[in-house]
Amino acid sequence: MFSQPVRTVMEREKLLTAPPAMTVSEAAKQMAKRKVGAVLIVDNGSLIGIFTERDAVFRVIAQDRDLHATRLAEVMTPAPKTVDPDRSFGYALLLMHENGFRHVPVIDRGKLVGIVSARNALDPDLEEFVAEASRREHILRERN
């Protein structure tokens, strides 16, 4: 799996983009609806940043920012590192590990074409198990 090109493991359908003026609240709702952990910030067709679940916690909630007034441009990671779709998935994982992040936008000839995450490294059966465990935990919390 690690030698496969990024294009074979990246998630096109999970690619969520937003303008820099979108509020954190709007972005979080879109992320929840699409079940994704990151939104790519695009301005005039160009990738300018990334906003992740961790950004929501560390840059918004922990700093007591108003999520209805705070714009993504204020709390995104600007100019994120990217990966070419023909690079190996192992390269993308190493890039994530060395830089301490879990999502990498995929850029092909200057165009945003997908996103790859550390989660893509999970075995499909393990990923299904993790998702089911999370679903059950959520149900139990709702009952209590």
Side-chain angles (χ1 to χ4, degrees), residues 24-35:
V24 169
S25 174
E26 293 171 291
K29 288 174 185 171
Q30 288 298 313
M31 291 166 73
K33 181 179 176 183
R34 299 272 300 276
K35 297 180 179 161

Side-chain angles (χ1 to χ4, degrees), residues 1 119-129:
M1 170 180 224
R119 178 172 222 137
N120 295 120
L122 290 176
D123 177 90
D125 292 333
L126 178 58
E127 188 171 358
E128 186 177 321
F129 173 79

Side-chain angles (χ1 to χ4, degrees), residues 63-128:
Q63 294 182 14
D64 290 325
R65 289 179 178 252
D66 180 350
L67 60 116
H68 299 287
T70 303
R71 305 286 172 197
L72 291 176
E74 300 169 48
V75 291
M76 69 183 186
T77 299
K81 293 188 183 293
T82 63
V83 67
D84 185 276
D86 294 322
R87 292 299 297 251
S88 72
F89 181 53
Y91 171 83
L93 286 173
L94 183 61
L95 182 67
M96 287 183 250
H97 174 73
E98 288 178 340
N99 291 281
F101 47 77
R102 296 179 294 181
H103 301 86
V104 180
V106 181
I107 304 288
D108 189 9
R109 287 171 258 167
K111 183 179 179 210
L112 179 61
V113 295
I115 189 166
V116 66
S117 76
R119 178 172 222 137
N120 295 120
L122 290 176
D123 177 90
D125 292 333
L126 178 58
E127 188 171 358
E128 186 177 321

